[in-house]
Every structure is written in C-alpha cells, then in structure tokens.
Amino acid sequence: MTTARTSDLWWKNAVVYCLDVETFLDWDGDGRGDFQGLTERVDYLAGMGVSCIWLMPFYPSPDKNDGYDISDYYALNPRLGSLGDFVAFMRTARDRGMRVIVDLVVNHTSDQHPWFRASRSSRDNAFRDFYVWVDKPPRQKKADLVFPDAEDGIWTYDEKTDQWYLHHFYSHQPDLNISNPVVRDEIAKLVGFWLELGVDGFRVDAVPFLIETGDVSLDPHTILRNLRSFISRRRGDSMMLGEVNLPYGELRQFFGGAGGDELHMNFDFILMQRMYLALARQDATPIREALSARPALAEGSQWAVFVRNHDELTLDKLSDGERQEVFEAFGPEPSMQLFGRGLRRRLPPMLDGDGARVRLVYSLLLPLPGTPVLFYGEEIGMGENLDVPGRLSVRTPMQRTDERNGGFSPAPPSRLTRPVAHGRYGPLAVNVAAQRRDPDSLLNWFERVIRRRRETPEFGWGACAVLDTAGDDAVLAHRCDWEEGAVVAVHNLSPEPRHVRVRLGDGKAFDRVIDLLASAEPQPLNGDMLEMKMDGHGFQWVRLQRKEGRTVP
Ligand code: NOJ
C-alpha cells in the first residue's frame, strides 16, 4: 500500500532539474542547444540522481521573452528539433526512470500567435474574445507592472480596432481571456496533446494572472480545479507545479486548501526569500519563521523548494529594509539588481565563491520539507554573466568542458544563443568534465547528497517541526517524521564553530543516531538532547534510531 502511494504521488520525493533546451547542449552545431543534445545528456542527469526534468518553453516563438511568448502550442521551435526529436528524448528519459514536465504558458500568447492576429483584425472576428479588449483601460497601479523597465502599463492601445488589450507582462504578450469557455477548452486540448506525447505534468506559468477573470460569476479557483480534474482524468499520476508568488494565506487556496484539488505543488517563494535574509544575517530566524508560518497541506500537495531559478531572484516579499540587507550582502552594485526588487545573479558569485557556504546552502535546500528544484548549472557552481542583459544573465550556456564555448557548441562564439560566462566562473574554471574527475568537486558532492536525499523520503513526505536549539539563533534544526522513520537536519549559518544542542522533543524513544552524510559509526544518544560539534557553516543530517523496531540503514 505504502509503495503504491509513494510511487503514485511521485512528486513528493522527486528531485526536479530545470533546464532550457536552447542552452543545454548544441548537437547540430548551429549555436543553439537542441533536443538531440539534451537526449545525449539524459544519462548525465540520471547519474546525478535527478528524477524529474522540467523543460522551459521550447515551442515556436518570436523569442522576445526567451520563449515565454508562444506562437504555436502544438509544435517545437524548429531550431531545437522536430516532434520526432522530442519523442526520442521522452523515450530516453522514461527509459532512465525519469519524469518530464513542461512549461505551460497560457496566461498569454505571443502577439504573433494566429489567435491574436485574428483577434486584433476586427471587433467582430471569431477570435476577438480570445483576448481581453476594452474601450477605456481601468486605472492601474505601479505595483501591477511586472516589467517596469520595459512597460508603463498593462493595457496597450490598438489603433486598428480602437480598443485596448490587456497584457500583464510585455505588450507583445497579450493575455488570453480565461473567462471565455472556448479558451478554456483550447487550454485543455493543448494540455491533453502534451500528455499524449508522454509528459508527466506541467510547470504552470504566472498562475494568479492566469486565473484572474473579468467575470464575477466565475470563481477563479474553479478554473484550476477543472484543469486538475481534466489532467487527472487523462493521466492519474500527472502533476502541476505552480508559479504563485503570493503570501502563504493566499497561496494555500492554489493547492485547493484542505481538499488539495488544485495545483499539486507550488514554489515556496516566501521561504526562498527568507532564506537569503537568513544567509545575509547569519541567523536562521527568518527561515524558522517561514517554516512555522507555512499552512498545512493535504497529503497529495507538496511545496517546491529552490535556491535560484531562471528569473531574477525576487525579494519582493521582504520589507524594504530587509531587501536592502540582502542587496548589500549579495548584490550591492546596481548592475546586479533588477526591477528594484531582485538580483540577477547565481549563488556562488553572491557568496564570493566560498565553497563551504555554497554546500551549506544546498545541504539546507535538499532536506527542507518539500521537493527540491535545481536550476541547470547549480550542480557545478556556475556563475552569471552580467554582460548579458536583464534576467538572461543567469541563462548562459551550460559549461561542459574548458574548450571553446565551454563545450556547449562547436559554432563560432558569435553564433551562440547567448555568450557563455567568463572569468572566475567561466568554463576554464567551472565545467562538468573537470569536476567529474575530482572526487571532492561540487558535482560529485551533489551526486552523493542527492542520492541520500532520495533515500530519505521523510524530508519529502514527513511531518516536519523546527527544533529548539537552546537559544542558538544561527543554527537551524528541523526534524521530519514519516512512518517509522525520523530524521533531523542541522545547519550552522554562522562562520563560527558551534557546540550545538538540539532538543528532540521525544528523544527518549531513540538510542542511536546515524550520520547520513558522513560514514561515521552510529553514535549513542542519551536522552532528549542531540549534541554535536559543528564547523562554521557546518551541516549534518542524521537518522534517529528507535530503541525497538526495524533498523533503517
Ligand atoms: C514567469 C516566467 O518565469 C518568466 O520567465 C516569464 O517571463 C513570465 N512568467 C512571463 O511568461
């Protein structure tokens, strides 16, 4: 029974890896990554222990927003491959036991999508109501703007038909009219198409905007519930992972609340932001507070935890003062900041290349209650390229070797999708090939901790509690219990060594602890207090062994 449940709800103990086909590996030599290249590297991902690949948009697109401006939902961008290449990739991933989810971007289309071309052609065109048109735009607040650098409003005037259309993002990304049932049917149809091609689910883009309706008789959450029922009917073990950057109180409903019948997973943007505040302060209190404030979820629901993604590191849910603290610690230069709310950097440069601290952060990420989501290149410690504009600074090509273009492509550098990183974090210093040969490399460390994380499902499934650390605020200790297992992770955010004392709550039930990351002998446990010596920025994951009962390795 348990095994059936754990494999049905596979996302509860997955390790997700996000990548853009365009920047992963160029196989045909045109300067752009492609599906053939990705297929060649599926074994690399499987070897690392990744269990689910999230593909950023790969559809036909004018590429004005890195593929998030889609002009055809039923095809591949021809520069990335054919549908045949896609299916070959899916088959290979499945053969290696990996799931695949794809970006579902249906809040908006590109303005080049045939639906929008038809819609804007005349007021009585059959596609007019696929988008949101008004005679006079309502008043808008500065806060409504997602891209304040490029847009000064979310409505754009279209001369031909003398009306304004809605676009929460760029003006070349008109919002679909979700209130129109025909649009909802079209979304179901395209979701069904990709499910038939074998995908295991979707990372759903911009969900709060997507379900915003102009129709008071249509409850926005009914839209998500219906989509959930539809995909579950088509494929019972499919999953939706939502991009919903909202306070916990509002976010809970996007899971479907206690019923858990909307999005299966949502990114925890609050915890991510508070983690950076904690790192800046060398004090775990902001993480403790976030974990304690998280709402309870239904069994099939799950948090997705992450350190970085493909966008700016948004700090929009911190207070102005807190955001300033993080800016000062991790991105003091204006060129490192974006939209006044975020940082366009990857983690290692933010930590000034301090390897111990980089490992501390990922050691903290993996056992956080939820499912970890990695962004390509994190496993080797890639940096950003600030010469590349805006959010694209962190989307540079994957660095495989120390050869030209970091081994990403044989094409002349001028033909690449975008330039590779250079300097301290460029391919000469940071690449897969060199790290594979070094047993102490970040890549080999990642393989070991990912394996351990997947073998420790308590972190994904368990009931988790923040433990008392005898007043030492720099240390975070959390415990997750599930079925017969109990595990504790302890992280020292301070550079100073510590003698850590963690109160287990019911420690008398255990008599030994086993270090899950080192090969040390089991240690006897006396009473309720777990004591350990920790280096500055040190970390430990331990399993508590019961006095009686089965021994879990
Ligand atoms: C959120 C995505 O993460 C971002 O990259 C994109 O630009 C917007 N949604 C619009 O699709």
Side-chain angles (χ1 to χ4, degrees):
M1 176 58 203
T2 299
T3 316
R5 198 173 84 220
T6 49
S7 62
D8 287 348
L9 306 184
W10 56 269
W11 55 89
K12 297 274 296 191
N13 200 43
V15 174
V16 182
Y17 185 97
C18 167
L19 64 88
D20 187 354
V21 176
E22 203 183 11
T23 52
F24 205 60
L25 181 61
D26 171 20
W27 200 251
D28 64 7
D30 68 350
R32 248 168 220 266
D34 42 48
F35 271 95
Q36 259 188 293
L38 171 58
T39 306
E40 292 293 330
R41 288 297 172 270
V42 165
D43 284 317
Y44 164 76
L45 299 175
M48 208 201 316
V50 168
S51 60
C52 175
I53 302 172
W54 154 22
L55 299 179
M56 286 168 63
F58 50 79
Y59 314 94
S61 160
D63 235 355
K64 288 190 181 167
N65 184 12
D66 200 21
Y68 280 90
D69 46 329
I70 297 171
S71 53
D72 181 357
Y73 288 112
Y74 293 100
L76 258 64
N77 184 328
R79 287 175 300 215
L80 306 184
S82 65
L83 273 180
D85 294 323
F86 179 83
V87 170
F89 156 70
M90 290 297 303
R91 155 111 185 91
T92 308
R94 192 171 326 123
D95 181 64
R96 308 304 195 268
M98 276 190 278
R99 307 271 181 169
V100 177
I101 62 172
V102 299
D103 238 291
L104 177 67
V105 188
V106 285
N107 168 68
H108 47 264
T109 67
S110 157
D111 61 0
Q112 299 307 307
H113 194 289
W115 293 342
F116 190 67
R117 286 165 175 263
S119 178
R120 80 189 323 181
S121 66
S122 79
R123 286 195 186 201
D124 51 15
N125 185 281
F127 288 91
R128 185 69 174 177
D129 287 342
F130 266 47
Y131 296 85
V132 185
W133 294 95
V134 293
D135 289 331
K136 197 166 170 270
R139 285 173 78 86
Q140 40 189 310
K141 302 184 287 284
K142 191 107 184 100
D144 292 339
L145 284 180
V146 179
F147 298 132
D149 61 328
E151 301 292 340
D152 51 18
I154 59 171
W155 295 91
T156 288
Y157 180 66
D158 203 45
E159 210 165 313
K160 180 146 191 238
T161 54
D162 185 26
Q163 276 193 319
W164 300 68
Y165 65 87
L166 177 66
H167 55 87
H168 277 103
F169 296 92
Y170 295 111
S171 56
H172 59 74
Q173 291 177 303
D175 279 24
L176 281 165
N177 177 13
I178 198 83
S179 306
N180 180 347
V182 185
V183 168
R184 298 201 295 276
D185 284 350
E186 287 290 347
I187 293 174
K189 206 190 294 178
L190 74 93
V191 160
F193 174 83
W194 291 102
L195 286 174
E196 288 299 315
L197 285 187
V199 308
D200 296 278
F202 303 89
R203 176 267 186 187
V204 191
D205 190 60
V207 186
F209 298 117
L210 165 67
I211 63 170
E212 195 180 287
T213 69
D215 177 353
V216 283
S217 65
L218 176 60
D219 168 16
H221 287 280
T222 304
I223 298 170
L224 283 184
R225 266 192 298 277
N226 289 346
L227 189 58
R228 165 74 175 260
S229 318
F230 174 78
I231 79 160
S232 303
R233 282 199 305 277
R234 288 287 171 98
R235 252 197 70 177
D237 64 348
S238 52
M239 178 273 277
M240 289 191 289
L241 163 59
E243 185 202 22
V244 182
N245 178 9
L246 288 176
Y248 285 139
E250 290 166 66
L251 177 55
R252 182 160 185 264
Q253 191 50 49
F254 287 76
F255 290 100
D261 57 357
E262 296 184 29
L263 298 164
H264 305 76
M265 297 218 279
N266 281 294
F267 288 105
D268 193 339
F269 280 93
I270 304 293
L271 179 62
M272 182 277 289
Q273 302 189 33
R274 307 226 48 97
M275 192 178 76
Y276 281 94
L277 184 62
L279 290 170
R281 291 181 175 171
Q282 304 185 345
D283 176 341
T285 308
I287 303 177
R288 265 193 292 275
E289 288 170 351
L291 287 174
S292 309
R294 269 179 170 185
L297 301 181
E299 185 188 58
S301 303
Q302 178 71 316
W303 298 101
V305 290
F306 65 110
V307 166
R308 283 299 287 115
N309 68 9
H310 59 290
D311 288 328
E312 80 280 6
L313 187 182
T314 183
L315 301 165
D316 66 336
K317 296 291 182 288
L318 299 183
S319 70
D320 291 349
E322 292 168 340
R323 187 178 316 110
Q324 209 44 47
E325 281 180 64
V326 179
F327 277 174
E328 274 159 28
F330 301 131
E333 307 292 331
S335 64
M336 300 167 174
Q337 301 168 6
L338 201 61
F339 309 140
R341 63 171 185 245
L343 291 169
R344 50 191 214 100
R345 308 193 76 191
R346 282 179 175 258
L347 183 76
M350 286 196 273
L351 301 182
D352 198 21
D354 180 344
R357 232 170 151 205
V358 169
R359 287 174 202 220
L360 165 75
V361 174
Y362 289 106
S363 164
L364 175 61
L365 171 78
L366 290 170
L368 279 174
T371 293
V373 181
L374 299 170
F375 182 49
Y376 76 91
E378 287 191 293
E379 72 274 25
I380 53 170
M382 272 172 57
E384 69 280 352
N385 182 350
L386 290 176
D387 300 341
V388 181
R391 297 171 301 156
L392 301 181
S393 56
V394 300
R395 304 187 199 175
T396 56
M398 180 68 186
Q399 297 168 193
R400 314 204 149 272
T401 68
D402 60 4
E403 295 155 336
R404 185 166 82 158
N405 301 326
F408 159 71
S409 166
S414 59
R415 294 193 57 206
L416 296 195
T417 311
R418 62 187 65 104
V420 291
H422 51 75
R424 189 171 169 195
Y425 302 94
L428 289 181
V430 176
N431 68 69
V432 173
Q435 293 199 21
R436 291 186 79 139
R437 289 191 291 267
D438 173 4
D440 296 325
S441 68
L442 185 63
L443 176 62
N444 280 313
W445 177 84
F446 253 107
E447 285 191 17
R448 293 192 294 272
V449 287
I450 289 177
R451 182 181 316 127
R452 191 43 110 184
R453 168 64 186 81
R454 287 184 60 186
E455 289 169 347
T456 316
E458 289 87 349
F459 290 128
W461 277 86
C464 288
V466 173
L467 299 179
D468 177 61
T469 50
D472 191 342
D473 289 339
V475 176
L476 177 75
H478 73 279
R479 167 174 168 176
C480 297
D481 287 59
W482 183 61
E483 303 205 321
E484 289 176 44
V487 288
V488 176
V490 187
H491 291 86
N492 174 15
L493 269 54
S494 134
E496 306 301 330
R498 286 288 200 274
H499 181 97
V500 179
R501 301 169 77 229
V502 179
R503 191 174 297 285
L504 294 173
D506 63 348
K508 300 221 168 54
F510 305 98
D511 65 354
R512 293 189 299 164
V513 294
I514 296 185
D515 188 328
L516 292 173
L517 297 180
S519 55
E521 286 295 300
Q523 296 298 314
L525 182 63
N526 292 320
D528 193 40
M529 197 67 86
L530 178 64
E531 296 201 37
M532 49 178 78
K533 286 205 165 48
M534 289 194 119
D535 294 337
H537 298 142
F539 48 84
Q540 265 198 44
W541 307 357
V542 300
R543 177 173 291 290
L544 306 176
Q545 294 252 293
R546 291 188 191 283
K547 286 189 168 140
E548 286 152 27
R550 205 153 50 95
T551 302
V552 188

